[in-house]
Amino acid sequence: DTCDVTRVTMGIHPQQFCFPLAKGEFFQTPEAVMVYSANGMNHMSQTFHTLYRTRLARGYWRDRVRPILLNSWEAVYMKFDEEKILAIAEKSKELGVELFVLDDGWFGHRDSDNSSLGDWFVYEKKIDGGLKHLVDEVNKLGMKFGIWFEPECISEDSDLYRAHPDWAVKIPGRKPNLSRHQMILDFSRKDVQDYILERLCSVLASAPISYVKWDFNRSICDKYSTSLPAEKQGEMAHRFMLGLYRVLDGMLSAYPHLLLEGCSGGGGRFDAGMLYYSPQIWCSDDTDAIERLQIQYGTSFGYPVSTMGAHVSAVPNHQTGRVTPLATRGCVAMAGTFGYELDLNKMTEEEKVEVKRQIEVFKQYYDLISDGSYFRLTSPQDNNCVVWEMAAKDASKALISAVYQHVQTNCAAKFVYPRGLCSDASYEVSLTDLKGDKKDRMQKLVLTGAALMRGGLRLPGADSDYAAWQISLKKL
């Protein structure tokens, strides 16, 4: 976690948990998945990946090609109007983006974190003419439309809280514990579940919305439900999760073609339970490409690339202030569901060409990235050059990505040892053009699978911090 503390929790934490059963009643404990591998951590991860991707994730989008999106959050935050949103959407479509996502700030009177959570009605001061008008305009561009919700939270400054203060999770007689200026809605209550489900479905019915980002930006504390007697307060946290699943199931049953992306203060709720409802989850609110090397590396131990939300963001990065090349940001985001989170109108003409090229490359390798066998070839903790590989299950091709964390002087040549190839087959080895300038940066080689896996592949060097390369292996 942020304090460098590691905890492993499996099942229900016993603290504050108590679920009395009367005669004839039953309780189903949460399921846990454990994997054994006799062939190392990569094989362990691949077992998890196949299980989660093909047997846990479900629904319309599980096996379909997902659209490349642009999320408005880091582009405009909550400071936007319809004109600004459509200007970004127009440029996004021009460069090849397929889905525009309107993030926080579209509802209630939401201009900051201080208000309106729970009031899921369109903020017409920003979106003149209502949500359908805006969605129709985006659809006319040839793009799908997505929207952000944070349904489990409520603001003190909201019509919902003024009408139903008992719906907020808080201990009677105590000042509520706020985080990011908000409280938790008591999803253990059926009336809360019914209200939120009605509101969500009402918004989704108002316009052709294809995608929902479901956020949850704080943890639950002060666990208390006004709907439960004292002897049942220990049930609250578990009933909360069951209530959440009921709402998610109801929404997706009503809108089975909806692409749902989970989110929780970034990656705070990246778990197998949520993958049952959302085939992809936002990996972290830290969008810095170099930070993401470690974030996505760690996530890959249990979760497949197809589940990891990853975006190209602006520089200097809004979280770290770091400046990284656009090619590097694209390379790192391609180890996920891939999208953008910046104002494309603020890019140079050269950068716009590069964005077009990144989208072409991602589409070219989509099947390999989303369904290939994932190998961690080096670790970001103990190697200056972070390298990962996606290999086709039939060993016909592979894509190796490498990012240098910083430049070193007089360093030895970097070798990596690809995996998942056919030993006695020959492979054409070439650099992928990430920039769109068609420069030949590496002479094409032909090597056997045995030579690559046992002798190694020499990586191009780095002449500046944060250089990135993608190397294609194609069976001849």
Side-chain angles (χ1 to χ4, degrees):
D1 64 12
T2 52
C3 299
D4 289 331
V5 175
T6 301
R7 296 183 178 90
V8 176
T9 304
M10 188 163 60
I12 297 176
H13 199 291
Q15 186 177 1
Q16 296 182 315
F17 173 76
C18 182
F19 210 107
L21 295 177
K23 184 177 181 180
E25 293 181 335
F26 71 93
F27 180 84
Q28 182 176 344
T29 58
E31 296 179 1
V33 177
M34 301 182 73
V35 164
Y36 168 76
S37 168
N39 297 303
M41 297 292 277
N42 276 317
H43 185 261
M44 178 206 73
S45 296
Q46 290 160 14
T47 303
F48 272 121
H49 295 176
T50 300
L51 173 67
Y52 287 168
R53 188 172 55 240
T54 65
R55 290 293 178 267
L56 180 64
R58 58 170 183 155
Y60 181 82
W61 285 103
R62 189 191 72 179
D63 301 319
R64 282 178 166 82
V65 177
R66 296 176 204 158
I68 293 168
L69 65 83
L70 184 134
N71 184 287
S72 70
W73 179 241
E74 289 191 21
V76 293
Y77 292 99
M78 298 183 196
K79 299 176 181 178
F80 63 82
D81 55 24
E82 183 176 341
E83 182 180 358
K84 183 179 288 188
I85 290 299
L86 288 176
I88 297 172
E90 286 171 8
K91 183 57 64 177
S92 302
K93 172 60 179 176
E94 181 184 317
L95 298 183
V97 174
E98 300 160 324
L99 166 66
F100 182 86
V101 179
L102 181 61
D103 207 281
D104 199 350
W106 61 270
F107 54 93
H109 57 278
R110 180 83 160 171
D111 292 310
S112 73
D113 280 346
N114 296 320
S115 77
S116 301
L117 287 172
D119 296 343
W120 301 110
F121 301 89
V122 176
Y123 190 3
E124 295 199 4
K125 178 182 173 183
K126 291 183 179 181
I127 306 175
D128 188 26
L131 190 59
K132 186 176 189 308
H133 171 71
L134 176 62
V135 177
D136 286 345
E137 291 301 307
V138 172
N139 289 163
K140 286 177 186 177
L141 297 172
M143 301 175 71
K144 297 179 183 297
F145 186 91
I147 201 162
W148 178 96
F149 288 106
E150 191 171 4
E152 298 158 81
C153 288
I154 184 170
S155 302
E156 284 188 295
D157 179 10
S158 68
D159 292 339
L160 183 62
Y161 184 72
R162 285 183 281 271
H164 297 282
D166 56 319
W167 283 8
V169 174
K170 57 183 177 179
I171 296 176
R174 294 187 187 179
K175 185 177 180 180
N177 192 316
L178 301 181
S179 177
R180 198 173 163 179
H181 313 289
Q182 62 199 49
M183 291 180 286
I184 302 293
L185 266 176
D186 186 0
F187 264 53
S188 72
R189 297 177 58 134
K190 187 175 182 299
D191 51 357
V192 171
Q193 299 164 27
D194 290 343
Y195 174 81
I196 290 298
L197 183 57
E198 184 279 326
R199 276 288 81 222
L200 296 180
C201 289
S202 178
V203 173
L204 294 175
S206 71
I209 295 170
S210 303
Y211 161 106
V212 162
K213 178 181 177 184
W214 184 294
D215 213 341
F216 183 58
N217 278 309
R218 58 158 295 177
S219 57
I220 306 174
C221 60
D222 295 343
K223 298 185 180 77
Y224 184 91
S225 174
T226 55
S227 68
L228 293 173
E231 67 273 14
K232 286 184 170 288
Q233 289 300 323
E235 302 175 15
M236 183 267 172
H238 184 70
R239 290 190 180 279
F240 182 101
M241 291 305 300
L242 296 181
L244 167 62
Y245 292 157
R246 176 175 176 262
V247 174
L248 288 167
D249 195 64
M251 182 181 72
L252 291 172
S253 295
Y255 295 93
H257 292 172
L258 189 72
L259 174 56
L260 178 64
E261 178 162 331
C263 179
S264 181
R269 191 196 263 159
F270 205 124
D271 64 71
M274 289 304 290
L275 280 181
Y276 180 71
Y277 300 98
S278 55
Q280 58 193 59
I281 301 175
W282 181 230
C283 224
S284 173
D285 279 340
D286 185 346
T287 60
D288 176 74
I290 303 306
E291 293 278 288
R292 276 296 188 116
L293 292 174
Q294 183 156 313
I295 291 166
Q296 292 171 197
Y297 171 86
T299 307
S300 75
F301 279 87
Y303 299 99
V305 169
S306 63
T307 67
M308 296 189 210
H311 297 166
V312 176
S313 60
V315 292
N317 179 263
H318 294 186
Q319 290 81 46
T320 66
R322 184 182 281 116
V323 176
T324 53
L326 180 56
T328 301
R329 284 173 271 155
C331 179
V332 175
M334 285 185 206
T337 57
F338 195 66
Y340 293 86
E341 195 160 333
L342 73 172
D343 187 346
L344 294 171
N345 286 298
K346 295 180 179 179
M347 289 186 145
T348 65
E349 292 306 311
E350 291 78 9
E351 287 173 329
K352 291 172 186 175
V353 170
E354 201 167 331
V355 166
K356 283 186 175 181
R357 177 57 183 160
Q358 287 178 357
I359 292 173
E360 289 173 3
V361 170
F362 183 71
K363 287 185 173 182
Q364 178 183 350
Y365 293 108
Y366 181 89
D367 291 343
L368 188 59
I369 291 170
S370 64
D371 194 39
S373 296
Y374 183 91
F375 294 94
R376 294 172 294 270
L377 300 185
T378 70
S379 161
Q381 284 95 345
D382 56 21
N383 201 298
N384 177 44
C385 189
V386 184
V387 190
W388 62 95
E389 175 192 2
M390 286 88 161
K393 296 209 170 44
D394 63 1
S396 61
K397 57 185 175 179
L399 182 67
I400 295 173
S401 301
V403 177
Y404 284 88
Q405 299 193 75
H406 56 267
V407 170
Q408 294 174 306
T409 59
N410 299 323
C411 61
K414 299 285 185 184
F415 282 83
V416 292
Y417 300 86
R419 307 284 296 278
L421 306 179
C422 180
S423 294
D424 57 359
S426 294
Y427 290 84
E428 182 182 78
V429 182
S430 59
L431 272 183
T432 298
D433 171 28
L434 282 172
K435 293 179 174 291
D437 55 14
K438 307 300 183 184
K439 289 182 180 178
D440 187 8
R441 294 182 174 84
M442 176 180 174
Q443 183 180 359
K444 290 186 178 180
L445 305 172
V446 175
L447 296 168
T448 66
L452 287 163
M453 292 190 289
R454 297 171 192 168
L457 175 66
R458 180 174 178 169
L459 298 175
D463 54 11
S464 62
D465 282 348
Y466 317 131
W469 308 99
Q470 280 186 340
I471 300 170
S472 169
L473 308 179
K474 182 180 179 181
K475 187 178 178 182
L476 297 176

